[in-house]
Coordinates of all heavy atoms in Angstrom, one line a residue:
F32 N -13.2 -13.4 -6.2 CA -13.0 -14.2 -7.4 C -12.4 -13.4 -8.6 O -11.5 -13.9 -9.3 CB -14.3 -14.9 -7.8 CG -14.1 -15.6 -9.2 CD1 -13.6 -16.9 -9.2 CD2 -14.7 -15.1 -10.4 CE1 -13.4 -17.7 -10.4 CE2 -14.5 -15.8 -11.5 CZ -14.0 -17.1 -11.5
F38 N -5.3 -11.3 -11.0 CA -3.9 -11.6 -10.6 C -3.3 -12.6 -11.6 O -2.2 -12.5 -12.0 CB -4.0 -12.3 -9.1 CG -2.6 -12.7 -8.6 CD1 -1.8 -11.8 -8.0 CD2 -2.1 -14.0 -8.9 CE1 -0.6 -12.0 -7.5 CE2 -0.9 -14.3 -8.4 CZ -0.1 -13.4 -7.7
N70 N -1.5 4.7 3.2 CA -3.0 4.7 3.7 C -3.1 4.0 5.0 O -3.8 4.4 5.8 CB -3.9 4.0 2.6 CG -5.4 4.3 3.0 OD1 -5.8 5.3 3.5 ND2 -6.0 3.1 2.7
L103 N 25.9 -9.4 -3.8 CA 24.8 -10.2 -3.6 C 23.8 -10.1 -4.7 O 23.7 -9.1 -5.5 CB 24.0 -9.8 -2.3 CG 23.0 -10.7 -1.7 CD1 23.8 -12.0 -1.2 CD2 22.3 -10.1 -0.5
A136 N 4.2 15.3 10.9 CA 4.4 15.4 9.4 C 5.7 16.1 9.1 O 6.4 15.7 8.3 CB 3.1 16.0 8.8
M184 N 13.4 -14.8 -23.8 CA 13.5 -13.4 -23.5 C 14.9 -12.9 -23.4 O 15.8 -13.7 -22.8 CB 12.9 -13.2 -22.0 CG 11.3 -13.2 -22.0 SD 10.8 -12.7 -20.3 CE 9.1 -12.9 -20.5
Q263 N 14.6 -1.8 -11.3 CA 14.2 -1.7 -12.6 C 14.8 -0.4 -13.4 O 15.1 -0.6 -14.5 CB 12.7 -1.5 -12.6 CG 12.0 -1.8 -13.8 CD 11.6 -0.5 -14.6 OE1 11.8 0.6 -14.1 NE2 11.2 -0.7 -15.8
S274 N 13.1 11.7 -3.4 CA 12.3 12.7 -4.0 C 11.0 12.8 -3.2 O 10.1 11.9 -3.2 CB 11.9 12.5 -5.5 OG 11.0 13.3 -6.0
F284 N -1.6 12.2 -3.0 CA -2.5 12.4 -4.0 C -3.3 11.3 -4.4 O -4.6 11.3 -4.4 CB -1.9 13.0 -5.3 CG -2.8 13.3 -6.4 CD1 -3.5 14.4 -6.5 CD2 -3.0 12.3 -7.5 CE1 -4.4 14.6 -7.5 CE2 -3.8 12.5 -8.5 CZ -4.6 13.6 -8.6
S312 N 1.1 14.8 -19.1 CA 2.5 14.9 -18.8 C 3.3 15.7 -19.8 O 4.3 16.3 -19.5 CB 3.2 13.5 -18.6 OG 2.9 12.7 -19.7
R335 N -14.5 12.2 1.2 CA -14.0 10.9 1.3 C -13.4 10.3 0.1 O -13.2 9.1 0.0 CB -15.1 10.1 1.8 CG -15.7 10.5 3.3 CD -16.8 9.6 3.6 NE -16.4 8.2 3.8 CZ -17.0 7.2 3.3 NH1 -18.2 7.5 2.6 NH2 -16.7 6.0 3.4
E365 N -47.3 -9.7 13.1 CA -48.8 -9.7 13.5 C -49.6 -10.9 12.9 O -50.5 -11.3 13.5 CB -49.4 -8.3 12.9 CG -48.9 -7.1 13.6 CD -49.6 -5.8 13.1 OE1 -50.4 -6.0 12.2 OE2 -49.3 -4.8 13.6

Side-chain angles (χ1 to χ4, degrees):
F32 176 75
F38 183 87
N70 187 39
L103 200 63
M184 285 187 177
Q263 199 261 351
S274 172
F284 173 85
S312 59
R335 295 181 57 230
E365 295 180 354

